[in-house]
Amino acid sequence: MRYGIGVDLGGTSIKMGLFTGNGDIVDSWSIKTDVSDNGKNILIDIAKSVSVKLAMKGIDKKQVDGLGIGVPGAVSRGIVDKCINIGWDKVDIVKELEPLCGIKVYADNDANTAALGEYKCGTGADYDGIVFLTLGTGVGGGIIYDGKIIQGFSGYGGEVGHIKVNYDETEPCNCGTCGCLEQYASSTGIRRMALRRLSKGDEESSLRSYGEELTTKDIFIEAEENGDKVANEVIDYAMEMLARACADICHVVNVEAVIIGGGVANAGDFLLDKLRKEFERKVKYIAGDTKICLASLGERAGIYGAFYLTKM
Amino acid sequence: MRYGIGVDLGGTSIKMGLFTGNGDIVDSWSIKTDVSDNGKNILIDIAKSVSVKLAMKGIDKKQVDGLGIGVPGAVSRGIVDKCINIGWDKVDIVKELEPLCGIKVYADNDANTAALGEYKCGTGADYDGIVFLTLGTGVGGGIIYDGKIIQGFSGYGGEVGHIKVNYDETEPCNCGTCGCLEQYASSTGIRRMALRRLSKGDEESSLRSYGEELTTKDIFIEAEENGDKVANEVIDYAMEMLARACADICHVVNVEAVIIGGGVANAGDFLLDKLRKEFERKVKYIAGDTKICLASLGERAGIYGAFYLTKM
């Protein structure tokens, strides 16, 4: 029997999956991410955990075709440029991890990897080419075209969270420019816009009772379940911004489906209906056949996609 | 000796090139585009012209590996959706042209084809992946990634002229939406913005002497050679809009080079310097290594690219 391994490296935990050669999951587990000393133990911890798991399962490393890993930074030729939230500067993942674990290693950006997971095993399996957007603390993205990840020449392919959707913005994004999608459609962004809206007027809104404790989840609840006008308008605005970016993406790569994942996507059809309405207004006949759908793998997208990196 | 043919189908003329199998040009010529009767003679005319040329050169059709053709519309699986300026509705180019000329046919959109030409034989030959923008009456675009055209699932890949760069625009674009790049960075768009600017104020400007006869070329001459303030600001604004689209494109596909062609690009470095300045402001560390360059093949990009369609 042949095997493969998928690893999803995050800021707090490292998720791992053991797969058969044809992609059936055998086991999944996770370990804590040790960010001490600029994350210098991370690759060692991964190698150890993999070795232990294989030994427990009675699998020889020679039976393992490859280990794929998604990391939170731009990856080009196996090298990640910088991963701020795990303390890494430039790291040659392939070169460092291969000798540690004795298995062939394939690396890519985490959002690209999750996109590949959704494309191979999730919602994306029904479509010819996809863009996957993950709306969490930030906005990540990955594009699968012609069956492959668009990694880009320096690893920034699918970096769609930094598409500009508002040229009047004055507050800067983490990237140093203003008006990025991430500033509006991430959970942080939606909350930011709600607080900004509340502070600028004195409209009545059930959101006011939350004060500074307000979360993005609260905003969705107040919008959908309690029909709060301000909450609905805040979400409408976020979906208008997301639709702008999706339309621009489709005018570049004309994918068959836009797939929305991440914590914010838990709002489901309530969010999708708003997004679809705004998107259709922006594409008219061009790229107008593109579907907008929800991701289906949740947090597992990363390990599935990482496994499929070994099959590219 | 093996041969290939490249055809660039435009609204007024059809440019054709005969190439050796390894891409050296043997001959190039053009015929008039007969748009009468919804362009029903166009493919017949192409087949006839090719047959005559091959006979004149003493080349047997069996020596010709393929004929590539770029057409002014979105192409998917050899079928073009609609070509307004030559009167075509949906046309299955491959199916109709192959029996007419007795040569294997490959079809794509004209801007995609020109992008492939620049990538194979022009400025793009130095780069790993490119976006080619052609600034003419409209704004066309093509993206080459991983050595191939991004055609998209319904043929609208690289349709970057319709990326939204101004969300405050109230005049509609030809596509039915507002604020498309084409409304600002095409020759029509630059002229439109100049006339709008002149009509809205009474600033002194050498552009006023042209009246309604003003052309985009005049605007560039007045800006570069005569230092007219309004003309410079009009071009700065067009380049700001073009930079917005280029930044968005690079956040999607992260190509190594953005290549600018078309009539407007005749302004050369004067235009490029302005564009680069605005682009760099918008990308910061992300995709910041992307080069901005001028196309080098001019109108020949189409036939070169069409020939290379046969090699894909």
Side-chain angles (χ1 to χ4, degrees), chain A residues 45-93:
Chain A
D45 292 347
I46 291 170
K48 271 187 198 158
S49 183
V50 165
S51 291
V52 169
K53 181 63 70 178
L54 292 176
M56 279 169 58
K57 298 276 177 191
I59 298 169
D60 191 284
K61 282 189 179 173
K62 288 191 190 115
Q63 291 174 265
V64 183
D65 293 324
L67 178 152
I69 179 168
V71 301
V75 176
S76 182
R77 295 168 194 85
I79 300 166
V80 64
D81 197 26
K82 200 184 277 279
C83 297
I84 296 164
N85 61 346
I86 56 173
W88 283 4
D89 206 24
K90 192 173 276 218
V91 174
D92 191 331
I93 304 162

Side-chain angles (χ1 to χ4, degrees), chain A residues 146 148 151 156 158 252 254, chain B residues 145-146 148 151 156 158 252 254:
Chain A
D146 207 15
K148 286 184 283 191
Q151 197 181 59
Y156 289 103
V252 178
N254 184 216
Chain B
Y145 183 78
D146 206 15
K148 286 185 285 193
Q151 198 181 57
Y156 290 103
V252 178
N254 184 214

Side-chain angles (χ1 to χ4, degrees), chain A residues 177, chain B residues 243 275-285 288 290 292:
Chain A
T177 64
Chain B
L275 174 60
R276 280 195 190 114
K277 202 181 74 186
E278 295 300 336
F279 177 74
E280 276 157 25
R281 249 188 238 163
K282 284 167 185 61
V283 291
K284 296 277 164 116
Y285 75 95
T290 298
I292 307 235

Side-chain angles (χ1 to χ4, degrees), chain A residues 272-283:
Chain A
L272 231 51
D273 290 346
K274 288 174 183 278
L275 174 59
R276 280 195 190 113
K277 201 181 76 188
E278 294 300 336
F279 177 74
E280 277 158 23
R281 246 187 240 164
K282 286 167 182 62
V283 291

Side-chain angles (χ1 to χ4, degrees), chain B residues 141-177:
Chain B
I143 297 159
I144 311 295
Y145 183 78
D146 206 15
K148 286 185 285 193
I149 292 170
I150 294 192
Q151 198 181 57
F153 95 104
S154 54
Y156 290 103
E159 202 54 60
V160 296
H162 299 283
I163 287 179
K164 303 294 172 287
V165 291
N166 178 9
Y167 293 103
D168 302 319
E169 182 60 73
T170 51
E171 279 182 38
C173 174
N174 293 331
C175 78
T177 65

Side-chain angles (χ1 to χ4, degrees), chain A residues 153, chain B residues 115 118-119 122-135 142 239 242-243 246 250 255-262 264-277 279-280 288-298:
Chain A
F153 96 103
Chain B
E118 284 290 341
Y119 177 75
T123 307
D126 297 331
Y127 302 106
D128 203 21
I130 63 160
V131 55
F132 170 69
L133 286 110
T134 168
L135 314 179
M239 291 307 105
L242 183 55
C246 291
C250 290
V255 288
E256 190 173 5
V258 173
I259 297 176
I260 309 291
V264 175
N266 290 336
D269 286 334
F270 178 70
L271 174 143
L272 231 51
D273 290 344
K274 289 175 183 276
L275 174 60
R276 280 195 190 114
K277 202 181 74 186
F279 177 74
E280 276 157 25
D289 296 330
T290 298
K291 317 297 176 300
I292 307 235
C293 334
L294 290 171
S296 57
L297 295 180

